[in-house]
């Protein structure tokens, strides 16, 4: 892995910095976390600006509508946008970071042409319908049924914890197409339009007060067979592709943000007198080393994914496991720096501390990541 920037990559950084300096001051104020239509419009408008300027889907393959950027350019993009305080992917986390990449890797040319350009332009938002009330860690236990009827599947069941379902146009949906087959072999991966008759979304309110996710009920929803990505009953393999993007590369931009927050913690501690506490200083120093190591791991994962045809490997579980705990430790340290202010729910670090609690559960819990690392990377025997 060569991480030295070429002249071309440095020129890319300069152009990007210039563009960010020009456009960021013109952005409207960020909508409130509870204003979903406002959030959707804000995130979509930013995505459209990236698209028009040639920065959307930077590292996606060119034949999937991307710009075919080098891993280094991709990382420069993440670093510079974060340093400049640019918006992150927001409501289209799923579309841009794992449903889109899955369609790019596994979809037919017609599917890529239908779904990828609207994701990159910010026109269509995706959500993820994988988890069910009795199928979370044990995802292959999913029961949502899809019965073939002519050119459609008729889908009945329910999903839970579907992030951003309230504003989504499409859902990457896992269904059981063969109930007789061994459970990993009877699953298919479908793209479901969220406005199809029979889809009901019931938002769930989080500890932080926002309806980040929802229950989704499916009552004889007709989904064209042409919306299936991958072969019928081969959805488990496609799911592994989606999860490898979700765990391997979807969070990488956030590492830069955490490093920025860490620097702000040190500045705040110096200003409010807490810097004199040697235990706190050691804690911040250890976190600094931790995030520096995570950034190196990010660089390695992004480069390794590019080398292996764009799909990240199981190394993503190592990253996801350590990152989600480091993020929680970061915001615990923030609470210590804030002192009494840590009780002020309006403080951004307090809201981020609450949302950090979910990181060791979302995208596969830490226990599940440990199982994957143990079995698939370290080669330890499977637990009973
Ligand atoms: C913020 C957030 C956003 C989410 N967004 C989405 C989304 O958009 N779409 C979606 O489909 N899902 C989403 N999820 C769901 C998430 O993927 C599941 O919550 C997660 O996989 C855990 O499943 P579960 O909640 O059913 O817990 P369970 O699977 O019931 O687990 C309960 C506990 O048992 C442990 N456990 C279970 N099996 C094992 C085992 N084999 N070995 C050791 N320990 C085990 C778990 O680690 C956990 O501590 C989201 C979750 C969160 C928190």
């Amino acid at each position: 892995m060569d991480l030295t920037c070429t002249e071309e990559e440095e020129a890319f950084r300069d152009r990007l910095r210039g563009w960010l300096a020009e456009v960021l001051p013109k952005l409207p104020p960020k909508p409130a976390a509870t204003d979903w239509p406002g959030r959707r419009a804000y995130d979509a408008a930013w995505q459209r600006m990236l698209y028009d300027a040639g920065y959307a889907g930077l590292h996606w393959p060119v034949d999937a509508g991307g710009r075919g950027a080098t891993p280094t350019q991709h990382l420069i993009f993440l670093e510079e946008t974060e340093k400049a305080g640019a918006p992150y992917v927001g409501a289209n986390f799923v579309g841009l970071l794992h449903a889109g990449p899955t369609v790019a890797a596994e979809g037919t040319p017609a599917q890529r042409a239908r779904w990828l350009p609207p994701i990159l332009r910010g026109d269509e938002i995706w959500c993820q319908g994988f988890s069910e009330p009795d199928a979370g860690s044990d995802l292959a236990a999913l029961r949502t049924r899809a019965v073939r009827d002519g050119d459609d599947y008729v889908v009945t069941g329910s999903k839970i914890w579907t992030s951003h379902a309230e504003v989504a146009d499409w859902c990457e949906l896992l269904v059981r197409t063969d109930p007789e087959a061994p459970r990993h072999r009877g699953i298919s991966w479908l793209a479901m339009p969220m406005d199809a008759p029979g889809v009901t979304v019931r938002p769930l309110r989080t500890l932080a007060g926002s309806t980040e996710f929802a229950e989704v009920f499916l009552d004889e929803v007709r989904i064209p067979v042409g919306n299936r990505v991958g072969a019928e009953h081969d959805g488990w393999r496609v799911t592994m592709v989606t999860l490898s993007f979700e765990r391997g590369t979807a969070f990488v931009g956030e590492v830069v943000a955490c490093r920025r927050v860490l620097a702000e913690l040190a500045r705040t501690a110096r200003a409010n007198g807490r810097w004199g506490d040697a235990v706190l200083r050691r804690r911040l120093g250890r976190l600094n080393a931790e995030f520096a190591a995570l950034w190196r791991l990010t660089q390695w994962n992004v480069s390794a994914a590019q080398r292996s045809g764009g799909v990240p490997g199981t190394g993503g579980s190592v990253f996801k496991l350590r990152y989600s705990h480091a993020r929680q430790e970061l915001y615990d340290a923030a609470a210590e720096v804030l002192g009494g202010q840590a009780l002020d729910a309006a403080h951004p670090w307090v809201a981020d501390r609450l949302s950090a609690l979910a990181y060791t559960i979302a995208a596969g819990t830490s226990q599940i990541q440990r199982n994957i690392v143990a079995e698939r990377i370290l080669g330890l025997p499977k637990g009973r």
Side-chain angles (χ1 to χ4, degrees):
M1 173 178 54
D2 180 9
L3 296 172
T4 328
C5 289
T6 61
E7 262 180 44
E8 198 188 327
E9 285 161 347
E10 284 303 344
F12 169 82
R13 186 194 296 276
D14 288 343
R15 269 198 312 279
L16 175 60
R17 277 188 184 161
W19 181 75
L20 289 167
E22 186 193 319
V23 298
L24 290 181
K26 297 181 199 152
L27 281 184
K30 263 191 123 168
T34 46
D35 174 9
W36 273 102
R39 280 174 70 173
R40 179 187 166 131
Y42 181 89
D43 295 338
W46 171 244
Q47 185 59 33
R48 181 70 200 211
M49 286 165 80
L50 289 173
Y51 181 84
D52 289 341
Y55 291 117
L58 205 56
H59 61 295
W60 286 20
V62 176
D63 62 2
R67 317 288 299 184
T70 63
T72 310
Q73 282 174 330
H74 177 202
L75 294 166
I76 289 173
F77 175 82
L78 293 174
E79 268 183 321
E80 294 300 327
T81 45
E82 177 50 42
K83 273 190 202 155
Y88 193 44
V89 286
N92 211 8
F93 182 90
V94 171
L96 285 160
L97 301 182
H98 52 89
T102 303
V103 172
E106 295 290 332
T108 62
Q111 290 173 333
R112 287 164 147 217
R114 166 62 190 88
W115 290 316
L116 300 181
I119 291 176
L120 291 176
R121 282 196 305 266
D123 291 345
E124 289 181 346
I125 303 281
W126 284 61
C127 63
Q128 180 189 55
F130 282 15
S131 305
E132 296 182 5
D134 292 319
S137 301
D138 188 12
L139 187 57
L142 66 93
R143 287 198 300 213
T144 293
R145 277 296 315 276
V147 179
R148 186 90 176 241
D149 180 25
D151 290 337
D152 290 337
Y153 290 110
V154 181
V155 178
T156 300
S158 72
K159 297 289 172 177
I160 193 164
W161 315 125
T162 315
S163 304
H164 308 160
E166 261 187 277
V167 287
D169 305 291
W170 291 91
C171 177
E172 50 174 8
L173 185 76
L174 294 187
V175 293
R176 187 160 298 286
T177 36
D178 183 356
E180 308 303 328
R183 45 191 222 141
H184 292 87
R185 301 214 189 109
I187 292 171
S188 298
W189 195 110
L190 306 180
M192 176 177 76
M194 291 295 283
D195 61 358
V199 178
T200 306
V201 175
R202 190 194 295 164
L204 295 165
R205 194 165 293 282
T206 70
L207 191 65
S210 166
T211 51
E212 288 301 316
F213 40 42
E215 292 174 282
V216 178
F217 300 96
L218 309 171
D219 183 13
E220 300 198 343
V221 180
R222 296 193 84 87
I223 303 177
V225 170
N227 286 18
R228 191 190 64 234
V229 173
E232 189 169 62
H233 315 318
D234 192 30
W236 189 252
R237 190 190 56 75
V238 183
T239 303
M240 291 304 111
V241 173
T242 308
L243 292 180
S244 72
F245 282 114
E246 189 175 4
R247 295 165 182 167
T249 46
F251 294 109
V252 297
E254 296 185 12
V255 177
V256 189
C258 286
R259 297 185 83 184
R260 178 181 48 73
V261 171
L262 191 58
E264 284 169 17
L265 289 190
R267 270 197 299 279
T268 307
R270 281 198 181 90
N272 72 9
R274 286 177 191 268
W275 193 247
D277 178 347
V279 176
L280 175 69
R281 284 203 311 274
R282 254 202 308 277
R283 200 168 164 188
L284 296 181
R286 198 188 56 70
L287 278 167
N288 193 33
E290 184 90 51
F291 280 104
L294 277 165
W295 183 240
R296 287 289 170 210
L297 184 59
T298 297
Q299 292 171 319
W300 191 86
N301 277 345
V302 167
S303 310
Q306 196 111 348
R307 277 198 308 275
S308 62
V311 181
T314 41
S317 286
V318 178
F319 171 81
K320 202 275 170 178
L321 178 59
R322 196 48 225 150
Y323 168 64
S324 51
H325 287 271
R327 189 179 172 94
Q328 290 177 350
E329 289 160 25
L330 173 72
Y331 285 103
D332 286 348
E336 197 166 326
V337 170
L338 286 174
Q341 254 193 305
L343 296 173
D344 174 5
H347 195 291
W349 290 347
V350 176
D352 285 340
R353 188 179 187 208
L354 289 179
S355 80
L357 294 174
Y359 274 65
T360 46
I361 303 171
T365 68
S366 290
Q367 287 80 9
I368 294 305
Q369 306 309 329
R370 286 193 189 97
N371 286 350
I372 293 171
V373 172
E375 290 164 16
R376 295 195 220 153
I377 299 179
L378 301 177
L380 297 176
K382 265 185 179 296
R384 284 167 197 273

